[in-house]
Amino acid sequence: MAFISIGDIFYQWETLGVFDFLLPFLLVFALVFGILTATNILGEHKGVSVIIAFVIGLMSLRYQNFFSVFLSELFPRLGIGMAVLLSILILVGLFIAKEEQRYWYYGLAAVGLVIAIIILSQTGERLGWS
């Protein structure tokens, strides 16, 4: 019986274009659809929101090289930043009294903003924007 490792599956997905086309399309589609439904710009017409999100998602793949390179540089750093914030948030929840946590959350928001600036600047530097 042959075993397939997760690395082999990821390699197959990479050769099929899952990371270059499918995942960026799904990300843009989900963001646009979420914004359209949350703002309720088009009223209760979900079908129109789906079509608009689908078209914008496909159009974002037109400049696939820039978009996929940007996402492939951004999201690993974003994952690390979110892990740092989540770790601090868990520690605050465990060791800080409930009535004092509100002030810590303001500090965590500031730390999150600093992390976002660092992530965007490192991504821009890696892409040669600096």
Side-chain angles (χ1 to χ4, degrees):
M1 183 172 178
F3 291 101
I4 298 175
S5 70
I6 191 76
D8 293 336
I9 292 171
F10 282 156
Y11 178 73
Q12 288 177 350
W13 285 359
E14 184 177 357
T15 58
L16 290 173
V18 170
F19 299 112
D20 291 332
F21 296 104
L22 183 63
L23 292 180
F25 166 76
L26 289 175
L27 177 67
V28 171
F29 174 82
L31 287 174
V32 171
F33 182 73
I35 290 169
L36 288 175
T37 55
T39 58
N40 208 11
I41 291 173
L42 302 172
E44 298 297 320
H45 304 289
K46 297 277 187 191
V48 176
S49 297
V50 168
I51 291 171
I52 291 173
F54 185 78
V55 169
I56 291 174
L58 285 178
M59 288 175 61
S60 71
L61 296 180
R62 183 173 181 196
Y63 300 106
Q64 183 267 333
N65 290 333
F66 167 76
F67 192 66
S68 65
V69 169
F70 176 73
L71 291 180
S72 67
E73 290 293 329
L74 176 70
F75 281 113
R77 290 176 179 83
L78 186 64
I80 292 170
M82 288 174 59
V84 168
L85 273 177
L86 182 62
S87 300
I88 296 171
L89 184 64
I90 289 170
L91 291 174
V92 166
L94 284 174
F95 297 113
I96 304 298
K98 288 280 187 196
E99 55 274 354
E100 295 178 16
Q101 285 182 359
R102 181 176 53 148
Y103 303 110
W104 281 86
Y105 292 150
Y106 294 136
L108 282 176
V111 169
L113 182 64
V114 169
I115 288 174
I117 291 170
I118 290 171
I119 289 169
L120 289 174
S121 67
Q122 284 183 350
T123 302
E125 184 178 311
R126 178 81 170 129
L127 294 174
W129 294 349
S130 59

